[in-house]
Amino acid sequence: MRTQARAVVIGGGVIGCSILYHLTKLGWSDVVLLERDELTSGSTWHAAANIHGLHDSANISRLQHYTMRLYDELESETGQSCGVFRPGSLYLAQTENREHQLKLQAAKAKLYGMNFHEISRDEAERLHPLVNFDGIRTIMWEPDGGNVDPSGVTNAYAVGARQRGAEINRFTPVIGTEQQPDGSWIVKTTKGDIHTEWVINAAGLWGREVAKLAGIEVPLQPTEHQYFVTETIAEIDAMDRRLPSVADRDGEYYLRQEGKGLLIGAYEKDMRFWAEDGTPLDFAHDLFPDDLERIEENMMRAIDRVPAVGTAGIKRVINGPMIWSPDSNVILGPVPELKNYFMCGGIIPGFSQSAGMGLMVAQWIIEGEMQYDMFPWDVARFGHWANNPDFVKAKVQDVYAHRFAIHFPNEERAAGRPLRTRPVYEMQKDMGAVFGLNYGWEHPLWFAKEPGTVDTNGFTRQNWWGPVGEECHMLRDRAGIIDISNFAKYRVKGAGAEDWLNAVFANTMPKTVGRSCLTPLIGVRGGIAGDATVTRVAEDEFYVISSGMAERYHKRFFDMVPLPEGTTFESLTDTMCGFNVAGPQSRELLQRLTNTSLGTEDFPFMRSQWIDIAGVRALALRVSFTGDLGWELHCAVEDQKRLYEALLDAGKEFGAGPVGGRALMSLRVEKGYGSWSREYSPEYWPQEVGLERLCKLDKDFLNKAAVEEVLAQEPREQLVLIHIDDAAVKASNADATGGEPIFRDGEGIGRVTSGTYGYTVGMSLALGYVKHGKASPGDCVEVMVLGQPHKGVILSEPPFDPKGEKLRA
């Protein structure tokens, strides 16, 4: 066994072997995989191993299509069969919402050149004569769908990795991972130690246990999962072809051919946790006792759809473990608190995503960043708060039982909540606040007239649409008070604070106390990794505000630049709260509560002061994400309730009140403002987003060379604002929400990143990217809202306050 390696992969399932293979494919041959038992032990060997290309996320769809294509290449490259069957997949919609989902996916497939389209019932019956299509509204066809052999795929990755120089050690348990002073690692095994630059935890069911060896916790929880295979079915035995799989997700089961019978699996409501206190170390190719009664309701729905299932005997039952994250997405990425420790765990559709996941891991480790923005998979989306066992179990139970449920735009799930709240939470709750979850924090999305109201969900306008409009009009006409406590807040202090911030961010830091600047944070490939407002509050002190959900993600970038001696960096997110008071009467409202002059000359735009307001010491910033006149007020957490009560009380005179996050979304889109994880991501270059003027190339900063390289090129696409045709929106009762393709003259030219109704400008609006040179202001396009073409026109300027006169008033 090698004693030195550039990377050690822990775990010999399909994901670990894919990571090993892709590390070698990208040029690293000095890599080792360690498996405590045999390859495929744990969850891999008993997987149903279905493969499909389409996903609600465009980037995950890209990775799934890459995975499906790679299986053929693997077979020819290695000579190892992957057991690939591609009889196609039928996707069925029993409900209107499922129909909307499938039609939107079909529109995305057309945009990205993927094969997924609607077919008639006659064609579907020809493809799968055993299915009863009664009650089905829409049928989609994916010709490349199917399944693979779990052991074949895993071993193909292993063979391919070995051919490029990798070493695989089976029956080699890892018993320790110890970080060295230089950031490298000693991986201790029962057969000796390996000194390595990178540790990659792909240990699957044992991901928690391996993480603990490095002193970290990860929010993962195993469950039982069952499927069964029928005896031979005469109709299938008589066929000379393989039947397509059936995705009847409204029925909450999956079904495909296995041998001359059918395989049926289910995600039942009466689910079972397993190994809550740790996965047994002697578990390998084991299964649990059958318990088909738990999935009886799902089985009956499958029998209704495919009657032959009901007359066939059961050949075997598989009841095995799977390990889940709180949102059912993979937990992937370098652990921000450790150097060179990579997590990859909680994978559910492993055989649809294995190659894409392996490629992303290899790119991140070798090249420093992935080619796609995969924040929905990033380990950094969860903070330490997510390791609460009750939260993890509640979330896993919810995502397991709703595995095939539609994840609607703007949907919030209540399981495991509330977890983290601010002092005003109960007060807001009594005021009718309907809350969202942001990095563990509860924050108001909108305010209902009746406390206890909850969201309805769907692709069309829901119960919050009207009240959110009232909040928008209140703020634009008078004033509104928005809780912005979930923003990430940092203090950088010391003689080297200015130099450090200039070395991190692309813009030049303010030279004068009381001034603020907007600045991009540049990614490894030259894209927009983040954006921040930086305010100089003292000669040696700066206050930084950025995306709350990205706090742990951005830690990676901050840690890339060493702090000068005597300079400190501190997160204030837990200890500071904030409110944005905005609207044409916001100055008068706030002036009632402070002796500090808020006049235009005394307190101009992009300035800040520490002020006393309603007896509370607060940092007041003359900025507003609404695009309207306004201030942000940041105070100590213990003063939040006092300040909120004073603001609401003073607001009564002006007809002002609380405003939630959904109204803020509408207001900022009216102004054409982008936001992180939607318009801003490492995939987008500064000149594509309109932030190139904030990249000051006359100084050094993080990843400057990369951004110089991309700024020297023509933009690939441009961020645009689209007004969607009023008649089309009225007919569908739906606005764009994000992800909808944009077409022009039948050609796919882009996609929506943020969509909403602009209540105060009377327009249904969509922010999105279109290919450079394919469309300009004034051009007509089609936005595929609900998967159907909605005419729209690209605007030349934002419809609200295009010259910024109200913002700077």
Side-chain angles (χ1 to χ4, degrees), residues 165-233:
E167 178 181 286
I168 295 175
N169 295 282
R170 300 170 300 145
F171 305 103
T172 309
V174 172
I175 57 176
T177 53
E178 298 175 358
Q179 185 142 50
Q180 305 305 295
D182 65 355
S184 64
W185 291 84
I186 299 293
V187 179
K188 306 178 78 66
T189 81
T190 56
K191 297 179 180 178
D193 298 347
I194 304 177
H195 185 208
T196 183
E197 181 182 347
W198 278 91
V199 171
I200 303 163
N201 180 347
L205 292 175
W206 295 269
R208 298 172 298 173
E209 287 69 34
V210 170
K212 286 178 181 177
L213 296 176
I216 55 177
E217 298 280 336
V218 287
L220 294 168
Q221 172 59 53
T223 69
E224 297 183 14
H225 176 66
Q226 293 185 98
Y227 66 82
F228 65 92
V229 179
T230 71
E231 298 282 2
T232 296
I233 295 174

Side-chain angles (χ1 to χ4, degrees), residues 426-447:
E426 291 296 337
M427 181 180 172
Q428 290 170 332
K429 189 176 177 181
D430 291 341
M431 292 162 58
V434 180
F435 294 93
L437 189 70
N438 185 297
Y439 200 59
W441 293 109
E442 298 292 330
H443 67 106
L445 294 174
W446 60 287
F447 289 83

Side-chain angles (χ1 to χ4, degrees), residues 246-267:
V246 177
D248 183 8
R249 290 169 178 168
D250 291 322
E252 297 184 315
Y253 64 88
Y254 56 87
L255 182 150
R256 68 165 173 83
Q257 184 173 335
E258 176 72 7
K260 294 298 184 178
L262 293 172
L263 181 152
I264 299 97
Y267 293 92

Side-chain angles (χ1 to χ4, degrees), residues 165-457:
E167 178 181 286
I168 295 175
N169 295 282
R170 300 170 300 145
F171 305 103
T172 309
V174 172
I175 57 176
T177 53
E178 298 175 358
Q179 185 142 50
Q180 305 305 295
D182 65 355
S184 64
W185 291 84
I186 299 293
V187 179
K188 306 178 78 66
T189 81
T190 56
K191 297 179 180 178
D193 298 347
I194 304 177
H195 185 208
T196 183
E197 181 182 347
W198 278 91
V199 171
I200 303 163
N201 180 347
L205 292 175
W206 295 269
R208 298 172 298 173
E209 287 69 34
V210 170
K212 286 178 181 177
L213 296 176
I216 55 177
E217 298 280 336
V218 287
L220 294 168
Q221 172 59 53
T223 69
E224 297 183 14
H225 176 66
Q226 293 185 98
Y227 66 82
F228 65 92
V229 179
T230 71
E231 298 282 2
T232 296
I233 295 174
E235 294 94 328
I236 297 177
D237 191 37
M239 289 184 179
D240 59 359
R241 62 181 176 87
R242 193 175 179 89
L243 289 170
S245 60
V246 177
D248 183 8
R249 290 169 178 168
D250 291 322
E252 297 184 315
Y253 64 88
Y254 56 87
L255 182 150
R256 68 165 173 83
Q257 184 173 335
E258 176 72 7
K260 294 298 184 178
L262 293 172
L263 181 152
I264 299 97
Y267 293 92
E268 70 280 10
K269 297 291 188 287
D270 186 21
M271 54 82 68
R272 295 288 185 273
F273 295 115
W274 178 68
E276 294 179 46
D277 299 322
T279 304
L281 296 180
D282 59 352
F283 192 88
H285 288 80
D286 302 90
L287 293 172
F288 309 126
D290 305 348
D291 191 6
L292 288 180
E293 288 186 6
R294 288 214 318 271
I295 66 170
E296 185 175 359
E297 291 183 15
N298 309 68
M299 290 169 60
M300 295 307 296
R301 287 191 289 270
I303 291 170
D304 287 343
R305 186 62 57 204
V306 184
V309 175
T311 59
I314 294 176
K315 184 177 181 180
R316 68 178 182 275
V317 178
I318 300 294
N319 186 11
M322 309 170 75
I323 191 163
W324 300 72
S325 73
D327 59 6
S328 77
N329 280 333
V330 63
I331 292 181
L332 177 132
V335 174
E337 295 75 25
L338 295 176
K339 181 177 174 60
N340 291 4
Y341 190 99
F342 205 103
M343 271 301 306
C344 189
I347 301 98
I348 302 304
F351 287 90
S352 287
Q353 298 176 351
S354 65
M357 206 169 295
L359 177 63
M360 293 299 99
V361 174
Q363 285 183 351
W364 205 334
I365 289 174
I366 295 174
E367 300 171 5
E369 191 174 86
M370 300 178 291
Q371 70 185 91
Y372 298 130
D373 174 18
M374 297 304 300
F375 185 75
W377 280 4
D378 198 323
V379 62
R381 73 188 184 276
F382 294 118
H384 299 300
W385 47 268
N387 293 320
N388 179 303
D390 292 336
F391 172 80
V392 175
K393 285 180 61 179
K395 283 293 186 184
V396 168
Q397 182 175 22
D398 181 65
V399 296
Y400 181 97
H402 296 93
R403 174 66 181 157
F404 289 145
I406 298 169
H407 292 268
F408 293 106
N410 301 300
E411 182 181 52
E412 296 283 342
R413 298 207 170 181
R417 298 169 53 192
L419 185 64
R420 298 206 291 175
T421 61
R422 306 282 187 176
V424 298
Y425 171 75
E426 291 296 337
M427 181 180 172
Q428 290 170 332
K429 189 176 177 181
D430 291 341
M431 292 162 58
V434 180
F435 294 93
L437 189 70
N438 185 297
Y439 200 59
W441 293 109
E442 298 292 330
H443 67 106
L445 294 174
W446 60 287
F447 289 83
K449 290 182 171 54
E450 294 294 328
T453 301
V454 297
D455 278 338
T456 59
N457 291 307

Side-chain angles (χ1 to χ4, degrees), residues 503-526:
V504 172
F505 290 107
N507 202 354
T508 302
M509 294 301 105
K511 291 289 186 183
T512 306
V513 174
R515 287 183 179 265
S516 302
C517 76
L518 300 176
T519 178
L521 178 68
I522 301 300
V524 172
R525 298 176 187 266

